[in-house]
Amino acid sequence: MKQRFRVGGMSCAACSAHVEKSVSAVPGVSTVQVNLLAGSMTVEYDEAVCDAGKIIAAVVSGGYTAAVDDGKQQSAPAQSAQADEALGEMKKRIIVSAVFMIVLMYFSMGEMIGLPLPSYAAGMDGMFALALTELVLTIPIVLINRKYYINGFKTLLHRAPTMDALIAVGSGAALVYGIYALVRIGTAPTPEAAHSFMHDLYFESAGMILTLVTLGKFFEARAKRKTGEAIAALMDLRPQTAEVIRGGRAIQLPIEQVQTGDLVVVRGGQSVPVDGVITEGSAFLDESAITGESMPVERHVGGTVIGATVSKSGYFVMRASRVGDDTTLSQIIRLVEEAGASKAPIAKLADKVAGVFVPVVMCIALVTAVIWLLAGETPSFALTRAISVLVISCPCALGLATPVAIMVGTGVGAKNGVLFQSAEALENLHNVTSAIMDKTGTVTEGRPVVTDVQTWGVETEELLSLALSLEKRSDHPLADAIVRYALEKGAKERSVTDFEMVEGQGIRAAVDGVPCMAGNQRMLLANGLALSRSMQELGEKLADAGKTPLFFAANRQVVGTFAVADVLKPTSRAAVRALESMGIEVTLLTGDNKKTAQTIASELGVREVIAEVLPQDKERIVREKQAAGRRVAMIGDGINDAPALARADVGIAIGAGTDVAISSADVVLMKSDLMDAVDAIRLSRQTIRNIRQNLFWAFFYNCIGIPIAAGALWVPFGIKLSPMIGAAAMSLSSVCVVSNALRLRFFKAGERVKQAGDPIVLPHSEQPNPSETTKNKEENVMEKTIRVEGMMCMHCVAHVKKALEELPGVTAEVDLDGGRAVVRAEQLPDDAALTSAVTEAGYKVVGIE
C-alpha cells in the first residue's frame, strides 16, 4: 500500500534523513520518500505486516510529529494563509530579537567605539552590573527563539542531531560560559581578577547567533514560498461552484457536490467546473491553463471538455464524467506534487552527506576545542573556535540544493504544459542522446487532410460540390478529410441517389441524376475508365510524395483529383532541428512503406527513418539503441507506443490532453506539439545544472568555512572567525541556494538553443537557422513576412500555406501562434499578389514586412 503522511518539526536535511531512516526500519516498509519542503512523507508498505499507526509511532519516536494525509488538496488561499501566518510569527521573533540585540550590542561593544555607558555599569565598579545587564538583555532573545533549544536538544536525546542541535549547542555553550564568567566576576577577590573574566562574556554572541539564524530562516522561508507558485496557480483555476440540472431545474452547488453523470450548465465567461462531454450547445474554450494551447478551441456536442478551462463564448450543457480528485486538473496537481516530493538520483549524495553531517561537525567542534587547549590557548579561545565551527556549518544548504530546484523545475514545467511524473524523469531527461519518435500524431497531425486539388475540364466549385455530395455519405477517414475541406471552401451539397460503397475501391452514386464515382485508380479501371498520361503522372507524383490520390468521375469522365495526406505539424521540422542542435540523434518510426516514410523524413529533416514498423517492434528498436550505448527518449502518443515508452530511458507521451495519467510515460506533454519535448529537455538540463551549482556551493562553503572557523588561519595570519560572522555566513548560504534555484522560474519555452555558436530559433514556428539563411542569401532567395489575421487551427495554416505556394516559385512556412507566414522565392510576387492570395483563402493580411 502507498500512503502519504504529513510530518512536522523538520528543519533541515538531517531531520528528513532521520525521519526516513526511522520509518525505513519499521518491518513491512519497502520505500520511504520524505519531502523537507512540503513537510510530507510517502511510504509504501505491506498492510499484512505494518499499518499507519506503526509508521506514525516511528516518526514520533524520532522526535517529530506525523499524521495521515487525508488527500484533500487545500485551496491556494488556505495554503497562502498558512504560509503568511508562519512568516508572521517568524517576523515577530526577528523584531523582538533585533530590538534586544541592538541594546545588547550597545552595552557589550559601545564603549569600544566611544559610546558612554550608564553610570551604574561604567568603570571597574560597574563590571558585575554590566555583565548582569547583558544577561538580562540576552534572556528575551533566548526565550523567543527557544524552539531551537527544544528541537535541538530533543534530537540530541534521540541521537539524531540536526541543524537545530548545532544552533542549540553553539549558542547554549556561549550562554553557559557567559554565565560562568558572570559568576566569577561577582565572586572575584579583586577588581583586576574580575576584569580578566570580562573578555569571557559571550552573551552578545549567543544572542547574535539566534538573531541571524532566525533572520536567515525568514528570508529562506519567504523564498521557498515562491517555489509552490505553479501549484498554487493551478489550484486557483478550480471554480468553487457549478450550475447543475437536478429535478428539471438548474441549481448552484458547491463543486464538491457535483457527481459523475450530473448535467452541468456552462455559460460564456464561466470556468468549466469538472471534466465531461457536451450534450447540448457549443463554445470556444480557452484551454491555455491546462494544455498550453494559446488559441481558443471550438467544442461541439460529443466533444470532451476539461475542468478549469474557460468558456470564452457560447452556451453548453455537459455530462460530468470525472469529478473531485479524478479531474484532469486534480491529476495535474497531484503529478506536480509527487514529482516535487520524489528524489532524483543526484539527491542521494546530498542525502547521505546530510545524514552524517551534523554528528561529524559536532565531533570536529569538540576536536577543535581539545587541540587548541593542548596547544596552550585559553579556554575562552578554544571555546570560541568550537562555537564558530558549530554555527558556520550548514546542512540546510546541502539539504535544500536538490529539492528546491526540483520543485521549481516541475512547477515551471506544469506551467508550460510539461508534466514530469517524477524527479528521476526530470534528471534522466538531461542526458538523453537519442530521440525516437513515432510518426502518426507525433510529428504529423494524426488525421488526413486535403493537400492538393486538380480539376479536369470543370470549375473548382463544381468539383468541390460533387466531392462533398459523394463523400459525405461515406464513413472512410479520407472521405472525412474531403468533406471538411469542401465545407471550408463553401461547397454546396447536391441530391444523391443509388449510393454504393465498393470495398477496396471507392464509392459510386447518382448526383442530380448523373452517374458519378470516386475512388482509387483501381475503381476507375474496374468501371472501364482510363486515365490520361497527365493524370497518371500526377497520381504517381502524389504517391511518391507520400500522398493518397483520389479520382472523381462524372458521366464516365474524370473531372478531378484530390490528394489526401497526414501532414506534418508546423513545429515538427523546427523541433527536429532543435533536437539535433542539442546533440541528440533523431530517429523516425512509422508503419508506412519505405517510399512514403522517406518522403516524410525528407520533409522533416530526419537522417534515420525506420519504416514498416509494427507496434510490437518499437520496443525492440529502443532496446537496440540502448544496447549501442545510447540514452533513449521515446516520443509517442502513449497508447500503441506504451511498450516502447516503458522500455526507453525516458518515455514522453505527446498529445495527452485529457488523459494525463499515462502510466507508461515518464513525461506527459499536455498539448500535441513536438516542440514541448524540446522544452522538456531544455528544462531538464537547466534544472540539473542548477542543482549541481547548488551542491557545489554548499560543499564548497562548508569545506572552506569549517576550517577557517576552527582557526586554520590563526597561526599563519592571525585571522579568526567570530561566532557572529559564522552565523551570518551560515544563514546567507541557505538563502543563496534557494535564490539560485528560484532563477529557474524565469525559464521561457521556445528560447534559443545554441551549439558551436550556431543558434537555432525555437519558438513554435518554422524560421530558418542561420546556416539556411546564409545558403538562401548565396542563392539570392528573397524573403518576406506576412502578418495574417483569422487563423484559428492547423487547417487554417494549411489553407494559407497552399494559397501562397500556388503563386509561381513561392515556398511558404506558416506560424499559427505567431500569426504570420514567411514566403521565399528567387523572385517574389508583389505585395498585392501576396495579399490577394491570402484574402482569397479567407483570411486577412494586416501587414507585410
Side-chain angles (χ1 to χ4, degrees):
M1 179 179 179
K2 188 175 183 179
Q3 195 160 22
R4 185 180 168 101
F5 298 82
R6 295 191 303 273
V7 180
M10 297 188 297
S11 60
C12 69
C15 297
S16 59
H18 181 58
V19 170
E20 193 167 305
K21 183 177 179 181
S22 299
V23 176
S24 296
V26 176
V29 172
S30 55
T31 61
V32 183
Q33 285 187 337
V34 180
N35 187 339
L36 173 64
L37 290 176
S40 66
M41 173 179 67
T42 303
V43 184
E44 286 191 37
Y45 60 90
D46 184 352
E47 292 180 89
V49 181
C50 180
D51 58 29
K54 292 181 180 178
I55 293 171
I56 291 173
V59 176
V60 173
S61 68
Y64 305 90
T65 62
V68 175
D69 194 328
D70 57 14
K72 293 182 179 178
Q73 294 167 338
Q74 282 186 302
S75 65
Q79 289 188 346
S80 180
Q82 288 183 0
D84 288 341
E85 184 179 349
L87 285 172
E89 189 272 337
M90 202 175 292
K91 192 175 183 180
K92 176 184 174 184
R93 284 165 47 199
I94 292 170
I95 293 173
V96 172
S97 299
V99 169
F100 281 95
M101 195 65 231
I102 291 171
V103 181
L104 175 59
M105 293 297 291
Y106 172 80
F107 276 95
S108 63
M109 297 185 177
E111 200 170 23
M112 298 179 189
I113 58 175
L115 296 176
L117 289 174
S119 57
Y120 75 89
M124 299 291 282
D125 295 333
M127 287 186 296
F128 181 78
L130 177 61
L132 186 61
T133 300
E134 290 183 22
L135 174 61
V136 170
L137 291 170
T138 304
I139 288 174
I141 301 175
V142 171
L143 290 176
I144 200 166
N145 294 295
R146 61 189 179 277
K147 65 174 291 184
Y148 295 120
Y149 297 99
I150 296 171
N151 294 339
F153 288 119
K154 185 189 295 183
T155 58
L156 276 175
L157 290 174
H158 287 94
R159 291 177 297 181
T162 63
M163 183 65 202
D164 287 347
L166 295 180
I167 297 169
V169 172
S171 62
L175 182 65
V176 170
Y177 194 76
I179 293 174
Y180 165 75
L182 173 65
V183 173
R184 293 300 300 271
I185 291 170
T187 59
T190 64
E192 289 75 16
H195 189 265
S196 66
F197 285 99
M198 286 297 292
H199 297 289
D200 295 335
L201 295 175
Y202 286 103
F203 295 127
E204 78 281 359
S205 291
M208 187 62 79
I209 289 170
L210 295 172
T211 302
L212 289 176
V213 168
T214 303
L215 181 64
K217 284 189 172 291
F218 172 77
F219 287 125
E220 178 185 313
R222 194 167 69 172
K224 283 195 294 186
R225 180 184 172 192
K226 295 180 180 179
T227 63
E229 285 184 353
I231 296 177
L234 287 172
M235 290 181 173
D236 276 338
L237 294 174
R238 291 184 295 197
Q240 301 303 308
T241 61
E243 186 177 348
V244 180
I245 299 176
R246 287 186 181 172
R249 62 190 186 92
I251 57 175
Q252 289 288 337
L253 291 177
I255 194 69
E256 296 81 9
Q257 295 182 20
V258 179
Q259 301 175 3
T260 302
D262 277 343
L263 291 176
V264 181
V265 177
V266 180
R267 306 175 191 278
Q270 293 181 344
S271 293
V272 179
V274 294
D275 295 1
V277 178
I278 296 178
T279 60
E280 175 188 340
S282 64
F284 279 94
L285 296 177
D286 179 1
E287 299 181 348
S288 58
I290 301 295
T291 66
E293 177 59 56
S294 60
M295 300 295 293
V297 179
E298 188 174 11
R299 300 293 185 207
H300 301 279
V301 173
T304 302
V305 292
I306 309 171
T309 55
V310 180
S311 173
K312 305 299 288 184
S313 63
Y315 164 94
F316 65 88
V317 178
M318 58 176 280
R319 186 175 301 280
S321 60
R322 293 194 287 191
V323 301
D325 290 342
D326 293 330
T327 62
T328 298
L329 179 63
S330 294
Q331 291 183 53
I332 293 173
I333 294 172
R334 186 159 53 249
L335 278 176
V336 175
E337 287 180 334
E338 288 178 356
S342 62
K343 289 183 179 176
I346 198 173
K348 293 176 182 178
L349 174 62
D351 284 349
K352 289 178 181 178
V353 173
V356 298
F357 185 84
V358 177
V360 168
V361 167
M362 298 186 77
C363 291
I364 292 174
L366 180 61
V367 170
T368 297
V370 171
I371 289 175
W372 284 117
L373 287 172
L374 293 175
E377 293 290 348
T378 63
S380 173
F381 183 90
L383 180 65
T384 303
R385 302 281 68 73
I387 292 172
S388 296
V389 169
L390 289 172
V391 298
I392 201 171
S393 59
C394 188
C396 288
L398 284 172
L400 293 170
T402 299
V404 175
I406 287 174
M407 182 171 282
V408 176
T410 53
V412 169
K415 183 179 179 182
N416 288 282
V418 178
L419 301 181
F420 295 95
Q421 299 272 26
S422 66
E424 185 174 3
L426 179 63
E427 177 175 347
N428 289 341
L429 193 57
H430 90 281
N431 55 19
V432 161
T433 59
S434 180
I436 300 176
M437 55 185 67
D438 179 46
K439 179 182 77 74
T440 305
T442 301
V443 301
T444 66
E445 292 290 350
R447 64 173 183 174
V449 297
V450 174
T451 60
D452 303 88
V453 177
Q454 176 66 54
T455 60
W456 307 99
V458 297
E459 295 295 329
T460 302
E461 293 77 10
E462 184 179 347
L463 174 62
L464 291 176
S465 177
L466 172 64
L468 173 63
S469 304
L470 285 172
E471 299 291 2
K472 194 170 184 181
R473 286 152 180 80
S474 172
D475 57 4
H476 195 280
L478 299 185
D480 182 57
I482 293 174
V483 169
R484 288 197 312 270
Y485 180 84
L487 288 173
E488 288 168 0
K489 292 296 184 180
K492 304 297 183 181
E493 188 176 356
R494 291 146 65 181
S495 173
V496 176
T497 56
D498 302 327
F499 181 85
E500 180 186 1
M501 293 189 65
V502 182
E503 189 71 27
Q505 295 184 13
I507 55 178
R508 56 188 173 209
V511 178
D512 287 343
V514 177
C516 301
M517 66 182 69
N520 53 30
Q521 189 171 349
R522 196 182 311 122
M523 177 84 169
L524 301 181
L525 295 175
N527 287 273
L529 298 182
L531 293 176
S532 66
R533 182 176 180 82
S534 59
M535 294 177 185
Q536 290 178 349
E537 290 177 349
L538 176 63
E540 291 170 0
K541 181 181 178 181
L542 293 172
D544 289 341
K547 303 174 182 179
T548 301
L550 296 174
F551 299 94
F552 286 78
N555 203 19
R556 300 192 60 78
Q557 294 293 322
V558 177
V559 294
T561 304
F562 281 75
V564 182
D566 185 10
V567 298
L568 291 179
K569 295 175 183 176
T571 59
S572 293
R573 286 176 59 193
V576 168
R577 289 203 303 266
L579 289 171
E580 291 181 342
S581 75
M582 296 162 73
I584 297 173
E585 171 191 86
V586 179
T587 302
L588 179 68
L589 291 186
T590 176
D592 289 341
N593 62 65
K594 292 181 179 180
K595 179 180 285 189
T596 301
Q598 193 57 56
T599 300
I600 294 292
S602 298
E603 289 183 34
L604 199 57
V606 174
R607 296 182 179 87
E608 182 180 18
V609 56
I610 303 176
E612 300 175 2
V613 177
L614 298 175
Q616 57 267 31
D617 293 330
K618 295 179 181 179
E619 187 266 351
R620 173 183 54 80
I621 292 168
V622 171
R623 275 191 288 110
E624 290 174 353
K625 289 282 185 182
Q626 291 172 326
R630 312 293 293 182
R631 300 297 297 272
V632 180
M634 174 66 197
I635 309 173
D637 60 16
I639 302 171
N640 61 351
D641 299 318
L645 288 169
R647 166 63 63 180
D649 295 286
V650 182
I652 303 176
I654 189 168
T658 59
D659 188 11
V660 300
I662 298 178
S663 59
S664 55
D666 302 298
V667 181
V668 178
L669 308 182
M670 290 300 295
K671 52 183 177 176
S672 185
D673 194 332
L674 193 60
M675 190 61 75
D676 287 345
V678 176
D679 287 333
I681 296 173
R682 289 179 50 242
L683 178 58
S684 170
R685 291 184 176 183
Q686 288 192 25
T687 301
I688 297 305
R689 187 184 307 120
N690 192 282
I691 289 174
R692 286 172 175 165
Q693 291 169 353
N694 287 346
L695 287 174
F696 170 79
W697 287 113
F699 279 114
F700 179 80
Y701 163 82
N702 283 294
C703 290
I704 298 297
I706 291 177
I708 293 176
L713 301 180
W714 173 246
V715 174
F717 304 111
I719 297 174
K720 60 181 179 180
L721 194 70
S722 75
M724 288 182 289
I725 296 176
M730 183 274 292
S731 299
L732 184 62
S733 68
S734 293
V735 174
C736 288
V737 164
V738 175
S739 299
N740 185 50
L742 288 174
R743 291 190 305 111
L744 287 169
R745 297 184 345 165
F746 301 109
F747 174 87
K748 298 294 183 184
E751 286 188 337
R752 292 176 181 264
V753 173
K754 295 184 180 180
Q755 182 189 31
D758 186 15
I760 287 182
V761 178
L762 292 183
H764 291 205
S765 65
E766 286 282 37
Q767 295 188 12
N769 63 32
S771 62
E772 288 177 339
T773 303
T774 303
K775 182 179 179 181
N776 287 343
K777 289 179 179 178
E778 291 174 354
E779 296 175 353
N780 297 317
V781 173
M782 302 172 64
E783 179 180 300
K784 286 186 179 181
T785 299
I786 307 170
R787 286 184 282 120
V788 182
E789 188 173 273
M791 295 190 296
M792 299 290 288
C793 64
M794 300 316 303
H795 296 300
C796 302
V797 170
H799 294 158
V800 173
K801 179 179 175 69
K802 183 176 184 300
L804 290 169
E805 291 187 341
E806 286 179 347
L807 297 172
V810 172
T811 60
E813 293 169 345
V814 185
D815 175 16
L816 175 62
D817 292 339
R820 63 187 178 186
V822 178
V823 291
R824 301 181 185 88
E826 291 187 15
Q827 185 63 48
L828 276 175
D830 58 25
D831 291 357
L834 294 172
T835 301
S836 176
V838 175
T839 304
E840 288 178 5
Y843 305 92
K844 181 180 178 181
V845 173
V846 294
I848 298 180
E849 301 168 0

